[in-house]
Amino acid sequence: MRRRNILWFTIIFVALLLLPIIFSDPFSLRIATEALMWIGLAISWDVIGGYTGRVNFGHGAFFGIGAYVTGILMMKGGWAFPITVPIAGLTAGLIALIVGFPTLRLTGAYFAIAMWSLALAFQQLVLLMTITGGPDGMRLPAFLNPEFFFYLMLGIVSISFVSLWYLMECASFGLKVRSIREDESGAMALGMNPTKIKIQAFVLSAIPAGLIGGIYAYWISYIDPASVFGDIITDQAIVMTIFGGMGTLIGPTIGAVILFAFKTLFWAYLSDYEVLYLIILGAVIALTVFFLPNGIWGTLSAYLDSRKIKKFGEVISQSTGDDNEYV
Amino acid sequence: MLLLLPQALLDGIMIGGVYITIAIGFSLAFGVMHIIDLAVGEWIMLGAFLGFYLNQWTNLEPFLFLPVVFFVFGIIGYYLQPVLFRVLSGKKGNPLLMGLVFTFGLALIFKGTGLTIFGFYSHSIPSILSTSSFSIEMGNLYLTIPSIRLVGLAYAFIITIMLQYLLKKSNFGLAVRALAQNREASGLMGINPKRTSSYVYAIYVGISAMTGVLIGNIFSLSAQMGAKYTVFSFFVVVLAGMGYLSGVPWAAFLLGLIQSFFLIYFNPGYTLIAVFVILYVVLLISPKGLFGKGW
């Protein structure tokens, strides 16, 4: 099972590596880079939202923090871009640590609310400070090399994906986190420290968002409070994860690809009706919760599993000559 | 500086009155159904726009529409509650999380619909009281009281007292309190949990929407105002303790005072940051709200 996963990862990774050779025009590369960015944001949201079961309505704050840290360090500090991106990720992680400490000790609802107000507060702060350029935003030096950003984004997102896969699906950390989602007091009774594990998961989810934000700032070369701290970033990451399937890493990836493709087509053909996009996002999320609470991937994998069990049952009934009625 | 202090206090209390009414229904709905409704600000927005259009259409005093708005949104809430109940009582997944996400989807739909229909502009609902104000002069102390804010405060008191009376004195209130304590046992005592929850949700949506009209009168209304009031409402409810109704007025006055002090003494842009810092400190010291009686 694990060997097959590694094989799949390698095939997809190589296919993505070869992508710029097949689609070399900047427009396709830009779309591919942005799709990768959304995959990264969705899987990082899923670590705290899906695996740990704590809905974070302020995930966009970490993205924005990463973007502004890179922007400030490059423009005011004159630092080189390769140094600023790790610092952006670390800053996001540090803020997650500080904020998560009081809020994650409580039930999920407090955390959701506190994080939302944190995101709004950061947006306000950036609007008011002078170092960030206030509402005018910041302009970074343009580096017009789409391949560079594509490979950088691919690198960061695949490193995040593989390390999160290892932590969540192979290592014991994933089991701990899931046990806290299912029953926190039960996990505590088994000798775990839920707060510590939740904070670890939260920091783990904030770091990729900060890194991606840092890359985004240099890639787009213009950031302002509305574009990097806007609600829409968190909203889209949440909708993608829930649509694809929470508590898995493949689900958010599928959800991000489908919704991003839809978004691109929507903006290409229906850009006059931009607010309609909000309604569609809301309808997708509400209908998914109502009809497919496990998302696309969760429902699909449950269906495949049930077929496997059925097949297994047939094999048993054939070998024992028994009727199929108990299976 | 010090001369402005009484005015700041007075303003804070008058603004706080409005915040009581945006949070009290929400706290009630949480206490009974344990639902965190992320669409609370959007209900306020939709109610404000209903009031705005009724006012444009009839040119009557907006306060006359309050019962109309309450009934219209009460009916919407009554019929929406079973849907929410189905999400919350789902077998799969974490119900609280699913409820949060579902109401988040509703909030997005409402916001998008609001922006589509009402546009991005800011409006205000005109009223006779909007322009009138009276002032008190004592020596070199000078206080201005806009009549509309005083009416807002009175409205908040009336709603709070009516709700308290309903909950503490009536049979319906007894049923609601029983339901908040134990859902199964209250069902055994002959209370219809589904219908009672629907009524509670209807009251919550109705009060929120009705307050929207008042906010449209005192401040302004636009399709984007929802998020701000959702945060304020959450702040009040969390500070009071989730589901603890008696704490709501004190937390609401605190929020009003923070806002008026920031407006007079500092930069009003820092209000949200101050709100977050206070929320953070309160959660750190007393996780169950200021009074430690939250859920």
Side-chain angles (χ1 to χ4, degrees):
Chain A
M1 192 69 192
R2 253 168 96 177
R3 195 169 290 164
R4 215 173 69 185
N5 286 332
I6 292 169
L7 186 72
W8 272 111
F9 287 154
T10 321
I11 289 171
I12 292 170
F13 186 69
V14 170
L16 284 171
L17 273 182
L18 295 176
L19 196 79
I21 298 163
I22 306 159
F23 299 101
S24 56
D25 58 312
F27 180 69
S28 316
L29 271 183
R30 192 197 150 100
I31 286 178
T33 314
E34 205 175 339
L36 283 172
M37 180 183 112
W38 284 110
I39 292 174
L41 286 176
I43 57 171
S44 61
W45 186 84
D46 194 40
V47 172
I48 190 78
Y51 280 100
T52 322
R54 294 290 180 275
V55 185
N56 177 1
F57 284 109
H59 199 58
F62 299 124
F63 178 81
I65 288 165
Y68 267 98
V69 165
T70 303
I72 291 168
L73 286 182
M74 280 182 77
M75 295 312 292
K76 313 281 168 181
W79 294 32
F81 175 67
I83 314 168
T84 58
V85 169
I87 294 177
L90 286 178
T91 314
L94 191 69
I95 288 171
L97 181 73
I98 297 167
V99 174
F101 184 67
T103 51
L104 278 168
R105 289 191 305 175
L106 309 160
T107 51
Y110 286 99
F111 176 67
I113 296 161
M115 283 310 297
W116 194 21
S117 56
L118 174 82
L120 283 172
F122 262 107
Q123 196 182 12
Q124 287 284 326
L125 197 67
V126 167
L127 271 172
L128 290 166
M129 285 198 318
T130 48
I131 193 168
T132 56
D136 302 331
M138 293 184 93
R139 200 166 282 285
L140 280 83
F143 182 60
L144 299 170
N145 188 346
E147 275 100 3
F148 169 74
F149 286 109
F150 176 78
Y151 284 122
L152 188 63
M153 198 65 96
L154 180 63
I156 293 283
V157 171
S158 19
I159 290 169
S160 310
F161 191 95
V162 171
S163 45
L164 289 179
W165 182 276
Y166 174 74
L167 278 171
M168 292 298 164
E169 303 287 340
C170 307
S172 65
F173 184 70
L175 286 175
K176 284 182 192 165
V177 157
R178 266 176 275 191
S179 72
I180 286 166
R181 175 185 69 191
E182 296 303 330
D183 188 351
E184 196 167 328
S185 31
M188 218 190 295
L190 288 173
M192 288 179 221
N193 182 351
T195 311
K196 194 178 144 198
I197 293 165
K198 277 186 286 185
I199 292 173
Q200 283 169 346
F202 190 39
V203 172
L204 211 60
S205 107
I207 290 173
L211 292 173
I212 291 168
I215 298 169
Y216 176 86
Y218 194 39
W219 174 41
I220 301 295
S221 79
Y222 173 70
I223 48 175
D224 69 324
S227 68
V228 295
F229 275 108
D231 288 342
I232 194 75
I233 291 175
T234 313
D235 295 357
Q236 283 194 107
I238 296 176
V239 177
M240 283 164 177
T241 310
I242 287 165
F243 183 62
M246 280 195 287
T248 60
L249 284 175
I250 299 169
T253 310
I254 294 172
V257 170
I258 292 175
L259 276 168
F260 183 72
F262 168 73
K263 187 193 169 192
T264 311
L265 289 174
F266 187 89
W267 284 101
Y269 294 107
L270 288 168
S271 55
D272 294 345
Y273 306 98
E274 52 175 314
V275 283
L276 199 65
Y277 183 64
L278 269 186
I279 304 179
I280 293 171
L281 271 190
V284 166
I285 197 169
L287 292 175
T288 311
V289 169
F290 206 71
F291 293 109
L292 289 177
N294 293 325
I296 294 179
W297 178 250
T299 313
L300 195 70
S301 56
Y303 173 72
L304 292 178
D305 281 354
S306 73
R307 272 199 27 193
K308 223 178 266 170
I309 291 166
K310 219 172 170 184
K311 223 183 228 168
F312 185 61
E314 277 164 17
V315 171
I316 291 176
S317 61
Q318 275 166 13
S319 60
T320 54
D322 209 7
D323 278 351
N324 209 359
E325 60 185 300
Y326 298 113
V327 185
Chain B
M1 277 302 260
L2 211 62
L3 275 178
L4 286 171
L5 190 66
Q7 180 73 53
L9 285 171
L10 194 69
D11 279 357
I13 287 167
M14 285 190 295
I15 303 172
V18 178
Y19 296 145
I20 297 176
T21 37
I22 64 175
I24 202 157
F26 180 66
S27 189
L28 179 70
F30 181 83
V32 175
M33 286 176 287
H34 299 151
I35 184 165
I36 311 283
D37 194 346
L38 280 168
V40 52
E42 312 303 328
W43 291 123
I44 292 170
M45 184 270 287
L46 291 175
F49 271 99
L50 182 63
F52 176 72
Y53 281 108
L54 282 175
N55 178 262
Q56 294 261 300
W57 183 44
T58 58
N59 274 322
L60 289 171
E61 189 56 29
F63 288 101
L64 296 174
F65 303 131
L66 291 179
V68 180
V69 174
F70 180 82
F71 272 107
V72 169
F73 279 92
I75 289 166
I76 295 173
Y78 186 84
Y79 286 104
L80 189 68
Q81 201 277 334
V83 181
L84 275 172
F85 183 76
R86 215 192 111 174
V87 173
L88 284 174
S89 59
K91 300 272 185 298
K92 279 175 188 170
N94 185 338
L96 177 77
L97 195 148
M98 285 296 167
L100 261 178
V101 171
F102 185 74
T103 55
F104 171 69
L106 286 183
L108 279 184
I109 295 175
F110 292 154
K111 191 179 171 190
T113 316
L115 284 171
T116 312
I117 300 173
F118 313 128
F120 289 85
Y121 300 106
S122 206
H123 308 274
S124 72
I125 305 176
S127 152
I128 311 167
L129 295 168
S130 309
T131 47
S132 76
S133 67
F134 47 91
S135 42
I136 303 164
E137 223 177 323
M138 281 182 287
N140 53 1
L141 197 71
Y142 190 77
L143 292 174
T144 315
I145 307 171
S147 327
I148 188 114
R149 297 212 172 173
L150 206 62
V151 172
L153 189 62
Y155 159 83
F157 271 112
I158 293 168
I159 293 286
T160 313
I161 289 165
M162 274 168 68
L163 207 61
Q164 286 290 343
Y165 181 81
L166 188 73
L167 284 176
K168 295 277 156 70
K169 301 285 179 202
S170 70
N171 273 337
F172 173 71
L174 195 65
V176 170
R177 282 183 293 146
L179 201 61
Q181 274 183 11
N182 192 327
R183 197 169 190 97
E184 273 82 40
S186 65
L188 292 173
M189 295 303 124
I191 294 164
N192 186 341
K194 282 186 183 170
R195 191 183 291 164
T196 313
S197 302
S198 287
Y199 279 125
V200 169
Y201 198 73
I203 290 173
Y204 146 65
V205 173
I207 290 178
S208 302
M210 200 158 61
T211 309
V213 180
L214 202 74
I215 288 172
N217 249 315
I218 297 177
F219 306 112
S220 65
L221 64 153
S222 74
Q224 288 137 305
M225 72 198 240
K228 182 181 157 195
Y229 289 104
T230 309
V231 168
F232 283 169
S233 164
F234 278 162
F235 174 79
V236 172
V237 172
V238 169
L239 222 60
M242 304 276 258
Y244 181 59
L245 279 186
S246 313
V248 168
W250 308 114
F253 286 135
L254 183 64
L255 177 61
L257 286 173
I258 293 168
Q259 215 179 12
S260 77
F261 273 85
F262 268 83
L263 197 69
I264 290 179
Y265 290 116
F266 311 100
N267 184 340
Y270 287 107
T271 312
L272 268 176
I273 300 159
V275 162
F276 178 75
V277 170
I278 291 170
L279 196 70
Y280 184 87
V281 171
V282 168
L283 286 182
L284 203 61
I285 297 167
S286 169
K288 291 188 170 178
L290 285 175
F291 310 97
K293 291 196 177 161
W295 193 67

